[in-house]
Amino acid sequence: WSGVNGLLPAISGLIIFLVVSRVISPAEFGFVSFAVAVVSAIGAFSPGGFGDALVQRLDLGPEHLNATFWLCLAWGGGLYALTVLLIGPIAGFLGDPMLAELVPVVGLRLILDLAAVVPSAILSRKMQFRQMAVRTLVSSIVSLVVCLAVLWLGYGLWALVISQLIGAVVVCLVSWLSVSWRPSWGIDRQSLRELMRFGGFASASRLITTVNVDQLLIGTFLGATALGLFSFARRIFLMLNDVLTGALASVSYPLLSSLQAEPEKLREAYLATTFLSSVLSFPIFIGTALIADQIIPLAFGSQWQGATLALQAFCSIGLLSCIGILQASLIRAKGRADWWLWYQIIQQALTAGVVLGLYPFGVSAVVIGIAAKTWLVWPFVAMLVGRMLDLSFLRYFAQFAAPLLACLAMAAVVLGVRHGMGAESVSALVAQIVAGAVAYGAVLLLVAGRRLQALRASLRKT
């Protein structure tokens, strides 16, 4: 169900993306991306991490839920009011008048998202992923219909804005309809204090990850067109990443939290989810990088060809993001939200340095630099995870040997088919995808068949 929960918005988003990308220009897409980045930066200063504290806490009472709800709701209303007051001067300072039009509409998500923190945490804590999938299904369908209707009426980029807002409204409403708990007046200060340490660090970590430093800096220094190309590549990467690892991320955090007092079971659960994530993610990201220059003009139009190199760089990041999501779940499940906060601060600071250092060379150079930075930092986190699990780096890395070997075979087959058929037709692209998938599956079964069978049996039992 968690997989369905990640797949549905990706399908809806892909349909919207395919249609909208042929109607609006990279500059218009950049305007929307910049507005969303500004709202996300403002919304990052919120207590959304208290939802994680509700999931992680072993002894949870209704007073904890009540305190978190009123804190989040009041905070969301205050943030939106502040946003409406400040966006005019911010738009004038940045020389982007479109921000003053777009942000007040997009900014309504500040209230809606925070209003849904508690019911979402209840669903996640109880691992009620069926209800979450139903919620996402309704939100995806409504957002898709509204977006296409607005686009058909000729409002262009507003289709993206309205679809995001409608999606947030539906998620909030369905979340509350999916839980039986309802808030009562008043905040129990003791309950709030009990959640404060973990919730504070988790909120600070969300602040660091939610602020899209790269988008804000690219929009400021390189302009709307460059930001549009960057956001286009990033959007494809995020759709793939959400489908491939969203389910594992949603399930792994409550699962690993429930096993925090059983070290052996925790280690085995982490290794199993890491292996499964790499098996699913590695071929998709590597395969997308191999055919990016062919699929972009065919699916989205030639105006997006300039995003090819950026997408390939994002795909290299994807190989680590499928692992990093589980690393984050483990570290937070062990109650070390403070460690993850400092890691995110370092990552964002390094990203800002890369953008500021490389923006004169163009958006592709910036994304390549971000990818290189991500790969250089990853070993340090892997060693930290190894110490937490009493796990050697060699055993940890062994989880990736089989999928990497299968991906090498897949790449050789894809390049061979491309050399033989050329790269100018849809049939050639389909042949590469099919041949690569067959090669990957065959080699993976050959080198890791027994482990896959054991994992399949374990999943069927649960």
Side-chain angles (χ1 to χ4, degrees), residues 12-38 96 98-99 102-103 106 147 151 155-164 212 215-216 218-219 222-239 296 300 303-307 310-311 314 363:
S12 172
L14 178 60
I15 295 172
I16 292 173
F17 203 39
L18 285 169
V19 176
V20 173
S21 64
R22 291 187 174 274
V23 176
I24 69 173
S25 66
E28 289 176 312
F29 193 67
F31 288 139
V32 178
S33 299
F34 203 15
V36 172
V38 170
D96 189 351
M98 282 297 295
L99 279 180
L102 298 174
V103 167
V106 179
C147 179
L151 198 63
Y155 289 99
L157 59 82
W158 284 100
L160 290 174
V161 175
I162 298 301
S163 68
Q164 285 207 9
N212 296 314
Q215 289 184 301
L216 291 172
I218 290 172
L222 288 175
T225 300
L227 179 58
L229 294 172
F230 176 87
S231 300
F232 172 87
R234 186 173 181 269
R235 182 75 171 270
I236 296 177
F237 159 70
L238 289 176
M239 284 193 293
I296 285 178
F300 303 100
Q303 72 270 28
W304 300 102
Q305 191 76 56
L311 176 58
F314 269 120
V363 67

Side-chain angles (χ1 to χ4, degrees), residues 108-172:
L108 289 169
R109 292 198 59 168
L110 296 171
I111 300 174
L112 296 166
D113 290 345
L114 284 172
V117 164
V118 172
S120 295
I122 294 173
L123 293 173
S124 180
R125 180 182 176 88
K126 295 182 178 180
M127 302 186 76
Q128 294 179 344
F129 296 109
R130 180 179 179 276
Q131 289 88 332
M132 296 173 74
V134 171
R135 177 187 70 179
T136 305
L137 172 63
V138 176
S139 173
S140 299
I141 293 175
V142 174
S143 297
L144 175 61
V145 171
V146 170
C147 179
L148 295 180
V150 174
L151 198 63
W152 182 74
L153 292 172
Y155 289 99
L157 59 82
W158 284 100
L160 290 174
V161 175
I162 298 301
S163 68
Q164 285 207 9
L165 182 60
I166 294 298
V169 170
V170 174
V171 166
C172 185

Side-chain angles (χ1 to χ4, degrees), residues 133-333:
V134 171
R135 177 187 70 179
T136 305
L137 172 63
V138 176
S139 173
S140 299
I141 293 175
V142 174
S143 297
L144 175 61
V145 171
V146 170
C147 179
L148 295 180
V150 174
L151 198 63
W152 182 74
L153 292 172
Y155 289 99
L157 59 82
W158 284 100
L160 290 174
V161 175
I162 298 301
S163 68
Q164 285 207 9
L165 182 60
I166 294 298
V169 170
V170 174
V171 166
C172 185
L173 289 175
V174 179
S175 295
W176 280 105
L177 292 174
S178 301
V179 298
S180 59
W181 178 83
R182 294 293 180 267
S184 58
W185 288 105
I187 296 179
D188 183 73
R189 295 183 180 181
Q190 177 60 33
S191 299
L192 202 58
R193 282 193 292 269
E194 291 173 357
L195 297 170
M196 188 67 70
R197 186 179 186 278
F198 189 97
F201 277 116
S203 296
S205 181
R206 286 189 176 215
L207 186 156
I208 299 301
T209 56
T210 303
V211 176
N212 296 314
V213 172
D214 44 11
Q215 289 184 301
L216 291 172
L217 292 177
I218 290 172
T220 301
F221 292 105
L222 288 175
T225 300
L227 179 58
L229 294 172
F230 176 87
S231 300
F232 172 87
R234 186 173 181 269
R235 182 75 171 270
I236 296 177
F237 159 70
L238 289 176
M239 284 193 293
L240 293 174
N241 194 59
D242 290 345
V243 171
L244 294 169
T245 62
L248 284 175
S250 299
V251 174
S252 63
Y253 178 49
L255 171 64
L256 297 178
S257 294
S258 68
L259 297 175
Q260 57 186 298
E262 302 176 80
E264 185 61 32
K265 289 184 178 180
L266 178 64
R267 179 166 54 250
E268 293 306 317
Y270 180 79
L271 290 176
T273 52
T274 300
F275 173 71
L276 180 59
S277 180
S278 62
V279 165
L280 296 173
S281 302
F282 283 11
I284 300 299
F285 284 120
I286 293 176
T288 301
L290 289 171
I291 63 173
D293 60 330
Q294 304 168 67
I295 201 167
I296 285 178
L298 287 173
F300 303 100
S302 58
Q303 72 270 28
W304 300 102
Q305 191 76 56
T308 298
L309 195 56
L311 176 58
Q312 291 171 329
F314 269 120
C315 286
S316 73
I317 296 175
L319 299 179
L320 296 181
S321 68
C322 67
I323 305 166
I325 287 175
L326 297 172
Q327 291 174 335
S329 295
L330 173 68
I331 293 172
R332 291 185 298 133

Side-chain angles (χ1 to χ4, degrees), residues 450-461:
R450 290 184 178 179
R451 182 164 191 193
L452 288 171
Q453 289 179 352
L455 186 58
R456 179 171 176 266
S458 178
L459 289 172
R460 290 183 67 180
K461 289 179 181 178

